[in-house]
Amino acid sequence: MTFRKALLASLFVLTFIYLLRSSHEPSPLDLQLSQDFPPELKNDNQNAASTETRQDGYAAMGPTSKPATPSGSSIARIARPGSGMKGSSGQQALSNEDNKSLRARLAYQYPYDLEGKFPAYVWQTWKTTPASGDFPEHYRAGEASWTGKHPGFIHEVITDQVAVHLIKHLYASTPEVIEAYDSLRLPVLKADFFRYLILLARGGIYSDIDTTALQSAVDWVPERIPLSSIGLVVGIEADPDREDWHQWYSRRIQFCQWTIQAKPGHPVLRDTVAHITEEALKRKREKMTNEAVIEFTGPALWTDKIFEYLNNEQYFDMSTSKGNITWREFTNMKDIRKVGDVVILPITSFSPGVGQMGAGEPDDPLAFVQHDFDGKKILDG
């Protein structure tokens, strides 16, 4: 055999061995999918990834038609370049200084991609799953409505036991978050914290177990608002237009957190998770026993974080602004508004049928989710 033929034969053998090994080794994407979720959710995550080519701005969603909804208005906020509002090309290296910041590490672990799709997940929590005989009968119809209205979504009811393992898995790189979650003594505090944690890491929709989906999430955002321009959808919980409002509610305008839709990594979720983590660890160190749920993890904190974000010069160009955005921009609101990358829904959307504060009935075109105001009473008990 000539030298030339021997060289060609050697190259052929090496190429064959390389191709043989490659065909039996998982790709980086396969590894990510297999390791990203605990066993309970791994198959669902793979199914979601395999259908993320749908064209309506929702990942892994079923029907893609979006009926037109009533027009509304927007409040001007211009994103600052490089502020995290643009689509993310991936994780960036952290400096030594960044490593000291919980918010920076959370941003590194779960970067925010504004132009990405809304993940087609519906997350709910309860002590047992619907497959259990112990699952409350009066929640079954509401829980089933989320699957019925979202046939292309992955719908998970996460139990307390699964939630612990899921958080340890998702936040292994930020152990203080896990410590903070474990330190919370009341179930309602853990339930509040979990919704922010799962949405920050995975995105999608979180909704309390005592809610009923009246319309698909496909219909929540009107067609005039590109889904590639928003990353958070919230609704107004309370708009008490009366002098004694503070006797009944913690904020003049209060955003509900029993139903939230988000893309993973959104800065409001990141700041909320960091704030609760820091506050929980402080209370643990100081052995504080006062559990002011609404202010600690509930709608008061959530409302504050949304307003802080909308008025944050780090994310928005405020040079043309006439002042801070306050509750006055949202009181008596009847339409859907976009502020920066946040969509604000009127009180009718997530609180129909309450019979006050201007909320419409459940058959209103803008009624999307009905809340029975029952789940947290049971959690507290």
Side-chain angles (χ1 to χ4, degrees), residues 191-232:
D192 278 348
F193 198 16
F194 178 83
R195 72 196 63 195
Y196 309 129
L197 290 169
I198 194 65
L199 289 177
L200 176 63
R202 287 292 172 263
I205 298 168
Y206 171 87
S207 195
D208 280 354
I209 201 66
D210 59 342
T211 61
T212 298
L214 302 177
Q215 297 190 50
S216 170
V218 176
D219 302 332
W220 292 5
V221 178
E223 290 182 339
R224 63 182 172 79
I225 300 177
L227 295 182
S228 61
S229 71
I230 60 172
L232 183 66

Side-chain angles (χ1 to χ4, degrees), residues 20-309:
L20 182 65
R21 291 186 61 187
S22 298
S23 66
H24 289 82
E25 292 181 354
S27 70
L29 178 59
D30 293 332
L31 287 174
Q32 179 183 4
L33 293 176
S34 65
Q35 297 172 1
D36 220 18
F37 268 57
E40 299 93 333
L41 303 179
K42 187 197 305 180
N43 291 335
D44 286 342
N45 185 52
Q46 291 172 340
N47 291 338
S50 66
T51 55
E52 283 187 348
T53 57
R54 301 177 188 269
Q55 297 300 314
D56 198 32
Y58 294 85
M61 181 176 280
T64 59
S65 61
K66 290 180 61 185
T69 55
S71 62
S73 60
S74 298
I75 300 175
R77 274 287 185 266
I78 302 174
R80 283 191 179 281
S83 63
M85 298 286 294
K86 299 295 183 182
S88 172
S89 60
Q91 295 176 339
Q92 302 296 321
L94 285 174
S95 67
N96 291 333
E97 187 65 28
D98 286 335
N99 275 312
K100 299 177 183 178
S101 166
L102 173 59
R103 285 166 177 79
R105 284 182 286 129
L106 289 172
Y108 173 79
Q109 184 70 22
Y110 299 114
Y112 175 41
D113 183 0
L114 171 63
E115 297 175 357
K117 295 177 180 292
F118 277 98
Y121 296 123
V122 175
W123 306 101
Q124 297 186 287
T125 57
W126 191 245
K127 303 169 187 176
T128 58
T129 69
S132 169
D134 296 331
F135 190 80
E137 287 298 324
H138 59 285
Y139 289 158
R140 289 193 180 277
E143 185 273 335
S145 71
W146 285 98
T147 299
K149 295 292 184 182
H150 303 86
F153 279 56
I154 294 167
H155 180 194
E156 294 285 349
V157 177
I158 305 296
T159 64
D160 296 343
Q161 183 178 10
V162 171
V164 172
H165 295 293
L166 188 56
I167 290 171
K168 288 182 178 179
H169 171 76
L170 294 174
Y171 290 91
S173 63
T174 50
E176 59 265 60
V177 173
I178 301 171
E179 181 184 356
Y181 180 84
D182 290 340
S183 74
L184 299 177
R185 299 183 302 167
L186 300 179
V188 65
L189 295 175
K190 289 183 180 289
D192 278 348
F193 198 16
F194 178 83
R195 72 196 63 195
Y196 309 129
L197 290 169
I198 194 65
L199 289 177
L200 176 63
R202 287 292 172 263
I205 298 168
Y206 171 87
S207 195
D208 280 354
I209 201 66
D210 59 342
T211 61
T212 298
L214 302 177
Q215 297 190 50
S216 170
V218 176
D219 302 332
W220 292 5
V221 178
E223 290 182 339
R224 63 182 172 79
I225 300 177
L227 295 182
S228 61
S229 71
I230 60 172
L232 183 66
V233 180
V234 297
I236 291 177
E237 174 186 359
D239 181 13
D241 189 9
R242 47 192 291 176
E243 292 184 359
D244 63 344
W245 66 266
H246 57 278
Q247 297 182 21
W248 308 96
Y249 297 95
S250 59
R251 301 294 184 270
R252 175 58 183 80
I253 282 286
Q254 190 164 290
F255 296 113
C256 76
Q257 37 90 271
W258 62 68
T259 302
I260 305 167
Q261 184 181 30
K263 293 177 181 177
H266 195 278
V268 174
L269 291 165
R270 182 198 313 149
D271 193 37
T272 302
V273 165
H275 177 94
I276 294 175
T277 298
E278 293 161 354
E279 183 65 20
L281 296 181
K282 175 184 176 182
R283 294 181 180 212
K284 179 182 178 180
R285 289 193 304 270
E286 298 178 1
K287 298 181 179 180
M288 298 173 62
T289 58
N290 179 24
E291 307 284 8
V293 175
I294 293 178
E295 299 285 341
F296 185 6
T297 61
L301 171 69
W302 180 238
T303 298
D304 289 348
K305 292 304 175 185
I306 292 172
F307 275 115
E308 287 176 14
Y309 175 71

